[in-house]
Amino acid sequence: MPFVPLSECLIFGTEKTTLMPDLSYLEDLIVQVRRDILRQVHKVNSGHPGGSLGCTEFFVALYQVIMDRKDSFEMDGKGEDLFFLSNGHISPVFYSVLARSGYFPIEELNTFRLIDSRLQGHPTTHEGLPGIRVASGSLGQGISVAIGAAQTKKLNNDDHLIYALCGDGELQEGQNWEAIMYAAANEIDNLIVTVDRNGQQIDGPTDKVLPMGNLKAKFEAFGWTVIELDNGNDLKAVIEGLNTAKSETGKGKPVCVLMTTIMGNGVDFMMHTHDWHGKAPNDEQLEIGLAQNPETLGDY
Amino acid sequence: MPFVPLSECLIFGTEKTTLMPDLSYLEDLIVQVRRDILRQVHKVNSGHPGGSLGCTEFFVALYQVIMDRKDSFEMDGKGEDLFFLSNGHISPVFYSVLARSGYFPIEELNTFRLIDSRLQGHPTTHEGLPGIRVASGSLGQGISVAIGAAQTKKLNNDDHLIYALCGDGELQEGQNWEAIMYAAANEIDNLIVTVDRNGQQIDGPTDKVLPMGNLKAKFEAFGWTVIELDNGNDLKAVIEGLNTAKSETGKGKPVCVLMTTIMGNGVDFMMHTHDWHGKAPNDEQLEIGLAQNPETLGDY
Amino acid sequence: MKKYTDSGKKDTRSGFGAGLTELGKTNPDVVALCADLTGSLKMDDFKANHPERFFQVGIAEANMMGIAAGMTIGGKIPFTGTFANFSTGRVYDQIRQSIAYSDKNVKICASHAGVTLGEDGATHQILEDIGLMKMLPGMTVINTCDYNQTKAATLAIAEHHGPVYLRFGRPKVANFTSEDQNFEIGKAVTLQQGNDVTIVATGHLVWEALQAAETLNDSGISAEVINIHTIKPLDDKAIIGSVKKTGCVVTAEEHNFLGGLGESVARVLAEQHPTPQEFVATQDTFGESGTPEQLMDKYGLNAEAIIKAVHKVIGRK
Amino acid sequence: MKKYTDSGKKDTRSGFGAGLTELGKTNPDVVALCADLTGSLKMDDFKANHPERFFQVGIAEANMMGIAAGMTIGGKIPFTGTFANFSTGRVYDQIRQSIAYSDKNVKICASHAGVTLGEDGATHQILEDIGLMKMLPGMTVINTCDYNQTKAATLAIAEHHGPVYLRFGRPKVANFTSEDQNFEIGKAVTLQQGNDVTIVATGHLVWEALQAAETLNDSGISAEVINIHTIKPLDDKAIIGSVKKTGCVVTAEEHNFLGGLGESVARVLAEQHPTPQEFVATQDTFGESGTPEQLMDKYGLNAEAIIKAVHKVIGRK
Ligand SMILES: Cc1ncc(C[n+]2csc(CCOP(=O)(O)OP(=O)(O)O)c2C)c(N)n1
Ligand SMILES: Cc1ncc(C[n+]2csc(CCOP(=O)(O)OP(=O)(O)O)c2C)c(N)n1
Ligand SMILES: [Mg+2]
Ligand SMILES: [Mg+2]
């Protein structure tokens, strides 16, 4: 189902070498996803563009290159890799990439946050949207859910991987540390948790709101393998980082990718600030944002 | 109010040197407290002797030597050091030391866990027992409360200290890590949290139930000053350790004392096992336990 | 019929913010805590004016509740601020033990309650918080109806000793109660006198109840409207007194019909004066994304729904 | 009058343990999770027989609920086990979002509910869990009355798709329902037919209701006794049917009278058939330490209290 089938991909950072993924296509997709994000939130004047834009490369890499996914969606997800979004507020990027990876019609992005829509403000299973396996939005719960799915994979002798994404501010929630402690203690080594380290949360930079110190040291003290992905907005770097993470699975430890991103990436006035965490652009701002990201694969 | 007034104490590990505390009296008190613990839980055939016995030296040191306390109890606790028990199940040792430090009549230990008593199974403010400032029992909440009290001390320009105790298994609760992160971020340096590192919890040794790895590394990664107190059942070592902790306050970091103790300490058949976490001795076992701890200061 | 006029739509959370700003000036013991939602809770002014009394706890609501409990020791009056879901369900056990059972003087101030939170959807739209908080012994539970009342309630709860849950919302709604009102905890306010039916409404539904009463009046039905801003302790007397006169009751709340105000009223009546009752409330479903108005409409939480319920309950007398 | 005999006192939690042991043998999809209370929850057998399907999560209930939700993806049927307080209030938001709203097939099994937990005292004695769980859309809420019924319910919920809250207790109580019963979720069981009053009881209060009915019978009052093991979905029909005949009702539960079974019944009656009702329940207080019997007595949760309530409610007809 990926536009760039896995078999044709160069798996960076591992011994398996296959063909080079069509990076130029993926770069086009990234720009198109940015447009989708802006247009979704603009239309309903609500939603979360900042974190979504910062994680665009990650989602594209994950769904187009990294994950071994099936063509059709089944809740049980047997025999494929699964992804869980813990920081559910960045639904715009999730929806765009899901739609553009074939899970549901791209035009449905038009219904984002509207009443009676399957595209709820925060992702939910409740409306039956393909691609979503658990609701999120209330922060701090996704890693636990991902661990459960990973343990079921082990019980089922299914050697596919579980991926999860969470925010950096989100890691202030204690449930994460319960989960982080548990995963190490139980050697959940089919799990890759990426942290969107954009250094921002709602009330300001994470360092001002509640300085979290050295995240790498924290995860390591909790027994995880940590991979630092310093340029989370460089597609190649993201693919490499996630492949490195993959190569660290199966070694008795859960794997954490600390992915440094720029909040609002790709729209200059949204970048490097928490201001656009949960605010939609007005008409004029939308125009500027779209101009900076010209249509590539076709708007919905 | 301490039996051994602070002014007469040698403050180990600090520059202030005063008189030597009457260690032999305190050793007698420790034995008497052990008897109180055994007799309390035996009488009602319920309660938690294991953790209580392991923390006897700590409570005696804290209330008799370390804390700067007032003679009468006031909820507001202005102008004195305060203590919060997070692992509320070890109420028997708390009650015994409170009573024997003058907070309420020693005979009241007779009412432990009985209906209409002020000595509830887990400590509570609800019945107005002097010495208790917050309820505990549901684990994981005490460090947060202690932080709040510490911040109020700062607001009130009251330079007294806040002490708290929690269990090692208790640290599996995520709320603790929220609190630990917050305390470092906000430089709560008038707070000393001791962890009862007995390596046991209800279902077995902590290392089997949910291995917690290196606690020192965890606290340090979370930005705390960590003091390892390797013999938490040696009174002198405990006094020294807590004094060292005291000397580390006021330096911009919260202070953690990792206190290694022996669960069930002082009653041979209760030692080094989780079996007596929450089980009372029968008549015969009580006799053996009491014989190993002959009456010193007088039973209630 | 009394006439109530909207002096201009305002959000109830701004009433909270204004009250907190005032408390900052008048009561040095008041401290405020927030879990990374300072702007949404309208706490910016307090933060700016009293940085030393403002505590940012980050995204860690359980810790916030514990810290607030601890801060009362030494005489502070902590006001915690976050969304209603994260003020209640997320931290129920922490409130239970460290605040309610410990009788700590903490004011839990909760915005974005109910479906009118809007587009964020069900994960954020708690419809159970009244029920959650009312079950806690010693907790006072308040749900205010407009900006002015929310401001007055914010000032009042600072004077009341003991734990309080103050619930308010996100959208701009009619502001119709008086600016200089005295907020009496636990005292129902009868907004309209009537003989045919009693409407007991709370929060955003109070204005809707007034609108309903006007329409009903035009069709010859005289409705008594009670603004029951305090759900606990509940003003049983006011309710029973009115119901004895009218013989039927409609309760209206932005909450699940299970566990909320409606069930509290049903219980009081079952104990003292069994009476036909209809429930304007959500019908045991989660909410969803949409505008506040769309959601009020879809989930039957407006004047129209109240009118329908009134007709039904009068038919059952 | 039907005669019920106690086949020997047993704890309901052991009924759960026995059910789980059986499920371990018969249903390979069943997995069990526990938060450091394996013995208290009687999960040792399952753990010993199926170590690979038993998950010890330590003292981290929030994480346990999330893991359970995740485990359903791929077809497992997780049974979580801890005390009732830590199964509900401690993890309300986790259950709400990751289990109830996400419609995950998790069975939340909760022991030590209510004051009969005994000596540990109020921090452990939750009296609000029925209310907490009943407010969650999609949640099935069950409170069983004895060992046999708890075992039967444990087996039944494994067959039911969707989130379930199963509440049971610590003390040894009369075991009087049949060993080979078929547990029907949502179907009230009428234990005694009667004409003067309906007693709707759940959990440990069912046996007390039967005792009360016997005593009442001796004094010429014929009580209908309904074992309402499922509080949600509530068997409205059974309740209304009985109340139409008797004209009054007493509800009996080991729970706060706010938010629990009693208020659910009051609501159903207010909507369909207003009727005098009395509430045998705790009266909005926390519990305390004591023996189960002492506490049942002090907090008015026994046959005696039911009899008193019956006399009162009959007088109100
Ligand atoms: C439990 C909980 N508390 C608070 C919120 C409100 N909230 C939504 S997003 C957010 C900030 C999250 O920060 P981060 O994880 O860094 O995400 P980013 O802003 O970088 O996208 C907050 C506080 C929430 N959704 N859930
Ligand atoms: C939130 C919560 N979950 C579970 C329990 C039940 N419980 C009481 S003590 C205990 C074990 C605590 O272990 P630890 O902190 O190491 O104390 P120790 O056994 O060493 O005294 C547990 C699980 C509880 N009291 N609170
Ligand atoms: Mg961030
Ligand atoms: Mg321990």
Side-chain angles (χ1 to χ4, degrees), chain C residues 6-7 14 16-17 25 32 45 83 114 118 121 123 185 187-188 190 195 222 225 247 255 275 280 301 317:
Chain C
D6 173 9
S7 67
S14 287
F16 164 69
K25 291 177 200 141
D45 272 359
F83 290 167
T123 54
I185 296 172
K187 184 111 184 58
T190 302
N195 298 307
S222 146
V225 178
H255 193 275
T275 307
V280 170
L301 298 171
K317 276 212 250 187

Side-chain angles (χ1 to χ4, degrees), chain B residues 46 48 113-116 120-122 126 135-141 169-170 172-173 175 201-203 209-210, chain D residues 34 36-39 56-61 85-86 90 119-124 286 288-290 294-295 298:
Chain B
S46 82
H48 300 79
R113 285 183 167 238
L114 293 182
I115 198 156
D116 297 323
Q120 290 292 299
H122 295 80
H126 210 254
S136 55
S138 178
L139 295 167
Q141 303 187 28
E170 185 179 12
Q172 291 157 3
E173 285 287 354
Q175 184 181 345
Q201 57 191 107
I202 290 184
D203 280 352
V209 173
L210 190 83
Chain D
C34 189
D36 197 22
L37 285 167
T38 311
Q56 170 62 264
V57 296
I59 313 172
E61 295 82 6
N85 188 17
F86 315 135
R90 185 73 178 199
E119 292 81 356
D120 273 348
T123 54
H124 286 53
F286 288 102
E288 64 175 283
S289 294
Q294 287 173 333
L295 295 166
K298 176 162 177 179

Side-chain angles (χ1 to χ4, degrees), chain D residues 22-312:
Chain D
E22 195 164 316
L23 284 173
K25 290 178 200 139
T26 57
N27 191 333
D29 289 332
V30 166
V31 296
L33 296 87
C34 189
D36 197 22
L37 285 167
T38 311
S40 294
L41 267 286
K42 305 292 179 187
M43 295 171 106
D44 313 84
D45 271 359
F46 186 97
K47 180 185 172 182
N49 299 341
H50 314 284
E52 76 295 350
R53 286 196 268 147
F54 179 81
F55 298 86
Q56 170 62 264
V57 296
I59 313 172
E61 295 82 6
N63 187 40
M64 177 164 74
M65 292 302 160
I67 292 176
M71 281 184 165
T72 64
I73 298 164
K76 301 304 162 206
I77 307 174
F79 281 62
T80 66
T82 181
F83 290 168
N85 188 17
F86 315 135
S87 295
T88 58
R90 185 73 178 199
V91 291
Y92 184 83
D93 188 43
Q94 285 80 15
I95 295 176
R96 186 181 196 273
Q97 171 169 288
S98 295
I99 297 176
Y101 186 49
S102 296
D103 191 26
K104 294 296 176 229
N105 195 21
V106 174
K107 315 304 169 185
I108 301 162
C109 301
S111 185
H112 290 56
V115 293
T116 53
L117 167 147
E119 292 81 356
D120 273 348
T123 54
H124 286 53
Q125 292 162 339
I126 195 157
L127 295 161
E128 310 104 67
D129 56 328
I130 290 177
L132 291 169
M133 291 297 107
K134 87 175 191 196
M135 288 193 289
L136 284 172
M139 183 65 70
T140 294
V141 180
I142 297 172
N143 186 18
T144 48
C145 67
D146 71 356
Y147 175 97
N148 285 341
Q149 193 177 55
T150 309
K151 183 174 173 193
T154 304
L155 300 177
I157 63 177
E159 300 298 316
H160 167 89
H161 184 93
V164 173
Y165 178 62
L166 178 62
R167 178 197 217 223
F168 43 89
R170 174 172 182 246
K172 295 202 166 141
V173 293
N175 187 24
F176 61 97
T177 66
S178 76
E179 212 184 311
D180 57 354
Q181 68 192 281
N182 181 24
F183 187 88
E184 269 188 80
I185 295 172
K187 184 111 185 56
V189 182
T190 302
L191 294 172
Q192 292 288 4
Q193 308 271 357
N195 298 307
D196 300 328
V197 64
T198 302
I199 305 173
V200 180
T202 193
H204 291 144
L205 270 293
V206 176
W207 177 250
E208 299 296 324
L210 287 172
Q211 303 310 299
E214 270 193 40
T215 310
L216 288 164
N217 193 48
D218 294 346
S219 57
I221 295 171
S222 148
E224 183 139 311
V225 178
I226 296 178
N227 174 2
I228 196 87
H229 51 66
T230 306
I231 288 132
K232 184 180 179 183
L234 192 65
D235 192 344
D236 296 18
K237 278 207 195 101
I239 296 168
I240 298 281
S242 173
V243 165
K244 280 192 174 154
K245 181 174 60 170
T246 63
C248 64
V249 61
V250 169
T251 47
E253 63 193 309
E254 190 179 345
H255 193 274
N256 195 347
F257 79 124
L258 299 174
L261 164 69
E263 284 199 351
S264 277
V265 170
R267 175 188 46 77
V268 167
L269 294 172
E271 272 183 318
Q272 300 183 44
H273 189 75
T275 306
Q277 178 182 350
E278 292 292 324
F279 298 75
V280 169
T282 57
Q283 300 298 306
D284 199 24
T285 63
F286 288 102
E288 64 175 283
S289 294
T291 66
E293 298 73 29
Q294 287 173 333
L295 295 166
M296 297 279 274
D297 192 42
K298 176 162 177 179
Y299 290 90
L301 298 171
N302 53 19
E304 205 181 315
I306 294 172
I307 291 167
K308 238 168 96 179
V310 164
H311 287 298
K312 190 163 174 203

Side-chain angles (χ1 to χ4, degrees), chain B:
Chain B
M1 186 164 144
F3 282 83
V4 188
L6 250 198
S7 56
E8 298 172 26
C9 291
L10 173 70
I11 310 294
F12 300 90
T14 70
E15 263 123 310
K16 298 184 239 166
T17 304
T18 48
L19 296 178
M20 185 65 162
D22 183 350
L23 285 186
S24 79
Y25 166 76
L26 294 178
E27 292 291 358
D28 282 352
L29 179 56
I30 286 166
V31 174
Q32 191 62 45
V33 170
R34 284 196 203 122
R35 292 178 66 86
D36 291 352
I37 293 167
L38 293 170
R39 293 177 66 234
Q40 284 177 83
V41 299
H42 168 264
K43 183 177 175 201
V44 287
N45 192 27
S46 82
H48 300 79
S52 295
L53 288 165
C55 292
T56 301
E57 290 79 6
F58 170 80
F59 274 88
V60 166
L62 193 68
Y63 275 82
Q64 296 292 323
V65 183
I66 298 295
M67 274 167 68
D68 179 17
R69 301 179 292 109
K70 285 194 176 162
D71 276 345
S72 66
F73 176 74
E74 272 171 51
M75 182 55 83
D76 262 353
K78 288 183 182 168
E80 60 177 328
D81 292 346
L82 307 180
F83 170 70
F84 294 93
L85 179 68
S86 190
N87 47 337
H89 59 278
I90 66 167
S91 55
V93 63
F94 195 14
Y95 293 151
S96 168
V97 172
L98 282 178
R100 291 185 183 275
S101 301
Y103 285 94
F104 55 82
I106 297 174
E107 312 79 65
E108 204 167 338
L109 296 176
N110 250 319
T111 69
F112 176 64
R113 285 183 167 238
L114 293 182
I115 198 156
D116 297 323
S117 166
R118 301 197 294 180
L119 275 59
Q120 290 292 299
H122 295 80
T124 174
T125 61
H126 210 254
E127 315 296 329
L129 188 70
I132 313 287
R133 289 195 171 81
V134 79
S136 55
S138 178
L139 295 167
Q141 303 187 28
I143 301 181
S144 300
V145 176
I147 289 170
Q151 293 202 287
T152 285
K153 286 251 178 259
K154 292 200 175 205
L155 284 171
N156 289 346
N157 295 316
D158 178 346
D159 60 5
H160 283 82
L161 297 177
I162 304 291
Y163 294 86
L165 180 68
C166 66
D168 49 359
E170 185 179 12
L171 288 177
Q172 291 157 3
E173 285 287 354
Q175 184 181 345
N176 292 301
W177 299 97
E178 295 179 356
I180 292 164
M181 194 184 281
Y182 176 92
N186 290 279
E187 304 183 358
I188 312 293
D189 59 1
N190 54 346
L191 171 69
I192 298 173
V193 172
T194 300
V195 178
D196 175 23
R197 189 159 59 168
N198 60 16
Q200 307 285 344
Q201 57 191 107
I202 290 184
D203 280 352
T206 302
D207 276 345
K208 290 214 169 139
V209 173
L210 190 83
M212 301 174 68
N214 186 335
L215 276 181
K216 182 163 191 277
K218 287 186 173 61
F219 271 94
E220 284 177 349
F222 274 69
W224 285 50
T225 296
V226 178
I227 288 154
E228 290 197 284
L229 201 179
D230 286 335
N231 191 347
N233 297 113
D234 179 283
L235 177 65
K236 231 175 117 181
V238 174
I239 294 173
E240 276 173 12
L242 290 176
N243 274 324
T244 307
K246 251 178 166 168
S247 70
E248 289 295 330
T249 59
K251 297 185 180 171
K253 282 179 168 201
V255 179
C256 165
V257 179
L258 291 177
M259 179 176 76
T260 303
T261 66
I262 297 167
M263 205 174 199
N265 187 56
V267 179
D268 61 7
F269 60 90
M270 290 187 175
M271 287 167 76
H272 301 288
T273 167
H274 62 279
D275 288 346
W276 296 89
H277 160 91
K279 197 174 71 178
N282 62 24
D283 294 351
E284 198 186 323
Q285 290 159 335
L286 175 71
E287 280 319 307
I288 300 172
L290 292 180
Q292 292 173 11
N293 294 280
E295 194 170 345
T296 52
L297 305 179
D299 287 342
Y300 55 85

